[in-house]
Amino acid sequence: MGNTYKITVGDVTKEYPEGTRIIDIAKEHQDENDLPIILSVYNNRLKELGQHLTEDGEIEFLTTHNKDARKAYRRSVILMLQKAIYDIYKDFAYDIHVIRSVDNGYVCHLVKRKSLEEREVLEVSESLVNQIEERMHELVKEDMPIEKVVMKTKEARHMFHDVHMSEKELLLKYRTSSNINIYKLGECYDYFYGFMAPSCGSLEHFKLTKFMEGIVLQFPDRVGGEIQEFKPSMKFCKQLQFVIDWSKTVGVGTVGALNEMIVKGGGRDVILINEAMLEKKIGDIARKIYENRSKKFIMIAGPSSSGKTTFSHKLSTQLRGLGLKPHPIPLDDYYVDRDKVPLDEFGEKDFECVEALDVEQFNKDMLALLNGEKVLLPTFNFKTGKREYNDRYMQLEDDDVLVIEGIHGLNDKLSHSLPKESKYKIYVSALTPLAIDEHNPLSTADCRLIRRIVRDSRTRGTSAEGTLAMWDSVRRGETKNIFKYQEEADFIINSALIYELSALKVYALPQLYAVDHTSPQYAEAIRLIKLLDYFLPLPSDDIPNTSIIREFIGGGVYRV
């Protein structure tokens, strides 16, 4: 008689025979009124639904209400999109390239491979978009299975070479594992970073829209499964296009290309070129500020770990070089006393809402400075949780400018009394120019998270587990308080560096490996370890001490 396994789902415990798949149990618990189950957590490890039971334990089923299931959903829809493209053209020379996440979807380009080195981006028509979307919905109705195939890494490289996926072929060149998991949908094979849905039948919610020369593939939101209207920031898209074009110019657009550059001894050149480009951009901003002397308030905002603080120092250096006198004003100094911080919907103190700042006092002080008055400025004492005044007086002269850095810098509610012509707004983003390969964009949020894990460990004594535990809350705050104001910026600066994950890897891995397998953050730690495994390490010796990355790994000249 075969083994049986005792499995608990919620408050229900049952025994299942050996050979039972997780999806068989999921069917017992799928609520017709709920979103489809995409993934499972089996004894604190993420598992695909196609896997078999291996031991007694607990299983939790995940719909797209869960972030890991949402990621698996998106990857699976990308594979379905590839299958639809193949079904239309019947030629692997035509492919869809996922460029970057924008708003609530992925910007994609239709590409035709002309040779191993040359490819052409094709402009799509409305009729083609409709044809692709119609074929994808047919695949949903057919409920075509997404199969996992274990393949020798060497064989997979040859296969991707034959179907013109050169970026994926180059990525696998630096994989040390002898076997890898390949996913198959009909004639289409692909390699994805992360788990997948079991079949197309659970992928019915998506939308294709023509956008610029390509397509936007939209997904349901995290709450109700609805697809919201696509409202991209065009300033963001313009900066994104610059980043992509620049990465192509230097020949490092994917992780495989970066690894190839490092192996061939070009790591130092990548560092120096990237740093030089960023310095030029900051210099351009400083010149614009210098040429418009009515700008007295340089308002800097950006999401967590985007490098706002180092950027403000670098900008101040450039301004001093032009003869101006910049003075830093951290918005943190205008926090209300800790006992007056408003509560969020969970009953926790909401330190990231604009009401956590003394907006009226800030406006009173800044307006007085603009009018030439001498002002006593506050300093916030984070130990006592109170604002203090310690003889910190300031009075603006003709060449003085205030560099104001904080998450609400672009929100006019913060600076409502200041004349518009006196403000210059800068949004600091971290738009990584790299993609993992043709179909796997590299998440900007993941890059910032890894930056923060390294910095929190070094400067705050916070473990990776602690940083991961608070990250979802940080992300909610960014969506609520930061991202929606980026279109208000006079200038968007990209602080991401093409080489940074290769440099951060050495510092981040020990922190991530320290997360215990019993921790609720274990699955996320493993995911980030797998992400960093794609990158060859790059020593930090050649990184300038003025680099934004020094804010995270240490060794910088700025006090941050």
Side-chain angles (χ1 to χ4, degrees):
M1 185 174 178
N3 292 331
T4 61
Y5 298 109
K6 187 178 292 186
I7 300 297
T8 300
V9 181
D11 56 1
V12 177
T13 300
K14 290 178 63 174
E15 288 195 6
Y16 294 91
E18 188 175 27
T20 301
R21 296 180 304 160
I22 296 174
I23 194 171
D24 299 324
I25 306 173
K27 290 175 181 177
E28 299 176 14
H29 296 271
Q30 177 67 66
D31 187 338
E32 291 184 2
N33 298 319
D34 198 4
L35 298 172
I37 294 170
I38 303 296
L39 284 181
S40 70
V41 179
Y42 183 11
N43 289 343
N44 208 33
R45 294 292 298 266
L46 280 172
K47 297 289 183 180
E48 291 176 321
L49 298 183
Q51 294 186 251
H52 292 82
L53 298 182
T54 56
E55 59 183 350
D56 295 343
E58 296 182 0
I59 293 181
E60 176 189 0
F61 292 113
L62 307 178
T63 70
T64 49
H65 290 303
N66 172 272
K67 65 178 181 179
D68 293 304
R70 286 196 298 275
K71 291 174 183 176
Y73 189 99
R74 289 185 172 210
R75 284 187 289 266
S76 304
V77 175
I78 289 294
L79 181 56
M80 193 165 67
L81 174 57
Q82 292 171 242
K83 167 64 174 165
I85 296 291
Y86 175 78
D87 287 349
I88 290 170
Y89 288 99
K90 301 296 183 185
D91 188 341
F92 285 115
Y94 292 86
D95 191 16
I96 200 78
H97 283 203
V98 182
I99 306 304
R100 193 67 73 237
S101 174
V102 175
D103 195 35
N104 62 342
Y106 285 152
V107 173
C108 307
H109 286 166
L110 179 63
V111 173
K112 181 180 181 182
R113 176 75 66 182
K114 292 185 173 181
S115 66
L116 191 60
E117 296 81 18
E118 186 183 3
R119 65 190 183 203
E120 178 186 4
V121 176
L122 304 176
E123 182 162 1
V124 299
S125 63
E126 293 280 2
S127 61
L128 178 58
V129 172
N130 293 335
Q131 186 181 0
I132 296 170
E133 186 173 40
E134 182 180 350
R135 178 57 190 144
M136 292 174 70
H137 282 297
E138 290 172 356
L139 292 170
V140 172
K141 290 180 181 178
E142 293 169 19
D143 195 18
M144 183 173 285
I146 298 175
E147 304 172 61
K148 179 188 285 187
V149 180
V150 179
M151 188 177 290
K152 293 290 183 185
T153 304
K154 185 176 180 180
E155 293 177 8
R157 284 190 63 207
H158 288 310
M159 178 185 70
F160 289 128
H161 174 86
D162 291 342
V163 295
H164 313 293
M165 293 187 190
S166 57
E167 294 174 0
K168 207 170 296 286
E169 178 190 0
L170 187 57
L171 178 73
L172 296 183
K173 179 179 179 180
Y174 297 101
R175 296 295 287 170
T176 57
S177 54
S178 56
N179 296 322
I180 61 170
N181 294 324
I182 299 297
Y183 291 92
K184 177 179 182 292
L185 183 60
E187 302 85 353
C188 295
Y189 289 80
D190 207 347
Y191 173 67
F192 283 92
Y193 159 57
F195 298 112
M196 301 286 280
S199 67
C200 294
S202 58
L203 307 175
E204 60 180 314
H205 297 293
F206 61 87
K207 181 180 180 181
L208 260 62
T209 307
K210 178 175 169 56
F211 179 67
M212 302 174 74
E213 62 183 348
I215 297 170
V216 169
L217 173 59
Q218 293 177 258
F219 302 98
D221 63 26
R222 68 184 65 188
V223 181
E226 300 296 325
I227 298 175
Q228 304 297 326
E229 182 182 355
F230 183 59
K231 294 180 178 179
S233 162
M234 295 313 296
K235 289 182 181 178
F236 178 90
C237 291
K238 183 178 179 180
Q239 179 64 23
L240 175 61
Q241 191 59 54
F242 169 81
V243 167
I244 294 168
D245 292 344
W246 180 83
S247 66
K248 291 178 181 177
T249 300
V250 297
V252 187
T254 64
V255 175
L258 174 61
N259 288 338
E260 189 92 332
M261 186 76 78
I262 292 171
V263 165
K264 293 180 178 179
R268 176 183 292 179
D269 288 341
V270 172
I271 291 172
L272 295 177
I273 292 169
N274 206 166
E275 295 289 344
M277 185 273 288
L278 184 55
E279 286 290 351
K280 181 185 181 302
K281 282 287 184 183
I282 297 173
D284 291 343
I285 297 174
R287 174 62 63 178
K288 289 183 179 181
I289 295 170
Y290 176 79
E291 291 172 351
N292 191 340
R293 305 302 281 274
S294 65
K295 304 294 186 183
K296 286 294 186 179
F297 303 102
I298 314 305
M299 316 291 288
I300 300 172
S304 174
S305 300
S306 58
K308 299 183 295 294
T309 306
T310 298
F311 167 76
S312 66
H313 283 291
K314 291 169 76 71
L315 177 62
S316 294
T317 300
Q318 294 275 4
L319 292 171
R320 283 195 293 269
L322 294 171
L324 297 180
K325 297 175 184 176
H327 302 278
I329 302 287
L331 284 177
D332 287 358
D333 284 340
Y334 281 90
Y335 268 130
V336 299
D337 290 349
R338 196 167 293 154
D339 60 352
K340 297 177 183 177
V341 173
L343 304 181
D344 62 16
E345 64 269 31
F346 303 106
E348 302 291 334
K349 290 186 181 297
D350 189 355
F351 293 102
E352 296 190 345
C353 68
V354 71
E355 290 79 14
L357 299 174
D358 191 338
V359 173
E360 294 312 313
Q361 188 62 51
F362 174 79
N363 278 269
K364 181 180 177 182
D365 289 350
M366 296 304 108
L367 198 56
L369 286 171
L370 186 62
N371 292 331
E373 300 173 26
K374 188 175 183 180
V375 177
L376 176 61
L377 297 177
T379 301
F380 192 82
N381 187 323
F382 283 90
K383 291 183 179 180
T384 65
K386 293 183 180 296
R387 229 180 314 158
E388 299 175 347
Y389 288 88
N390 300 307
D391 295 326
R392 186 184 168 207
Y393 286 94
M394 182 176 291
Q395 188 171 17
L396 293 186
E397 298 180 2
D398 289 344
D399 292 332
D400 290 322
V401 292
L402 299 181
V403 181
I404 301 170
E405 179 255 313
I407 64 173
H408 298 289
L410 304 189
N411 185 351
D412 279 331
K413 185 176 181 179
L414 170 75
S415 56
H416 62 82
S417 69
L418 301 180
K420 183 177 181 179
E421 61 271 15
S422 70
K423 294 181 285 188
Y424 192 87
K425 297 180 179 181
I426 303 170
Y427 181 79
V428 183
S429 187
L431 287 170
T432 174
L434 284 182
I436 296 174
D437 58 35
E438 293 94 335
H439 307 131
N440 291 275
L442 186 56
S443 165
T444 291
D446 281 349
C447 296
R448 291 192 292 109
L449 174 55
I450 291 169
R451 281 181 173 188
R452 181 154 178 168
I453 287 170
V454 172
R455 185 187 62 192
D456 283 0
S457 171
R458 181 180 65 83
T459 65
R460 302 176 184 177
T462 303
S463 66
E465 182 178 17
T467 301
L468 290 170
M470 70 176 72
W471 188 243
D472 283 347
S473 174
V474 170
R475 295 278 288 144
R476 286 194 299 270
E478 292 170 349
T479 300
K480 180 180 178 182
N481 300 311
I482 301 174
F483 294 145
K484 62 184 179 181
Y485 296 110
Q486 61 187 347
E487 195 69 17
E488 304 294 321
D490 296 296
F491 199 95
I492 295 179
I493 184 79
N494 178 33
S495 71
L497 296 160
I498 213 165
Y499 66 84
E500 66 178 75
L501 286 186
S502 288
L504 289 166
K505 174 178 182 174
V506 179
Y507 301 88
L509 281 180
Q511 302 300 321
L512 292 166
Y513 276 117
V515 179
D516 190 78
H517 73 281
T518 61
S519 168
Q521 313 308 324
Y522 182 69
E524 183 72 347
I526 291 298
R527 183 184 72 82
L528 294 176
I529 288 170
K530 290 180 178 178
L531 171 62
L532 289 170
D533 192 43
Y534 289 119
F535 292 81
L536 293 181
L538 184 63
S540 61
D541 304 42
D542 294 320
I543 300 176
N545 57 12
T546 56
S547 174
I548 279 176
I549 291 304
R550 290 291 179 186
E551 179 176 331
F552 306 96
I553 66 175
V557 297
Y558 303 119
R559 293 183 180 180
V560 294

